[in-house]
Amino acid sequence: MSYALALHTSSSELGLAINNFWDDSRCQVWDLDRNLSNYLHQYLAEFLAPQTWHQLKFIAIAQGPGSFTSTRIGVVTARTLAQQLNCPLFGISSLAAFAWSIRKLYPNGTALALQMPATRGQLYTAIYRVSEDRIKSDLSDVLMNQAAWIEYLQSFASAYQLVELPTHLGHTVPSVLELAYQEWQAGKQPQWDSVIPFYG
């Protein structure tokens, strides 16, 4: 049976998820902080079992925004795996995955204005609308300073819910996999070299 695998490394947590989208799914999260590079490959191999690499029909990776170093490590790992396995690789926004993970907390179609601290007092921002079965971007992920973000929201054409992202995002790895699966079902099969980290 075929499976899909997702990795989330854009915060201090490592999140892994695997699913055959039928009757078998699991995920696990480790708070590794600066030890990500030391343990990623070990935990990945242990987590995959009893499945094998060649059972993977596609891979998904949280491509950021987030921590520069850990996001890069995760994306490079996912690109290498997808290249070696000759399978599609889906790069999923960390902000979109978070929005998808909290979709049931708000009415369908609510505009979620997401903000996450970046360096030098700036913010990673985006606006997503989520429903039970789809996600739509009103503002793609972008790096802004606080003043520009406030100004943008003041001019935004509809009501919105402002959401501050937590510092730990590994637990949203099932959402990374679910959003990738939606793209897979739509017939998309992106190549490994099309996925790059998002740093803003």
Side-chain angles (χ1 to χ4, degrees), residues 6-102:
L7 300 83
H8 199 318
T9 67
S10 69
S11 71
S12 62
E13 292 181 335
L14 166 63
L16 300 175
I18 192 168
N19 201 327
N20 66 3
F21 299 100
W22 178 252
D23 62 354
D24 187 15
S25 67
R26 64 183 186 277
C27 72
Q28 194 166 348
V29 178
W30 299 263
D31 191 358
L32 297 179
D33 199 14
R34 296 181 183 277
N35 288 315
L36 176 68
S37 60
N38 296 327
Y39 292 101
L40 172 58
H41 297 285
Q42 174 190 334
Y43 288 167
L44 184 54
E46 293 174 354
F47 175 80
L48 183 66
Q51 278 68 54
T52 66
W53 295 112
H54 294 287
Q55 285 181 273
L56 299 179
K57 61 184 176 183
F58 70 80
I59 297 171
I61 177 68
Q63 66 186 76
S67 164
F68 179 91
T69 301
S70 58
T71 300
R72 178 177 55 81
I73 291 170
V75 170
V76 168
T77 300
R79 281 166 56 104
T80 302
L81 289 172
Q83 181 185 24
Q84 293 301 311
L85 297 172
N86 193 29
C87 70
L89 175 62
F90 294 88
I92 302 297
S93 157
S94 302
L95 299 180
F98 182 80
W100 186 251
S101 75
I102 62 171

Side-chain angles (χ1 to χ4, degrees), residues 13 16 20 32 38 70 88 97 99 110 119 146 152 162 176 192:
E13 292 181 335
L16 300 175
N20 66 3
L32 297 179
N38 296 327
S70 58
T110 300
T119 57
Q146 184 80 42
Y152 185 89
L162 184 63
V176 173
W192 64 270

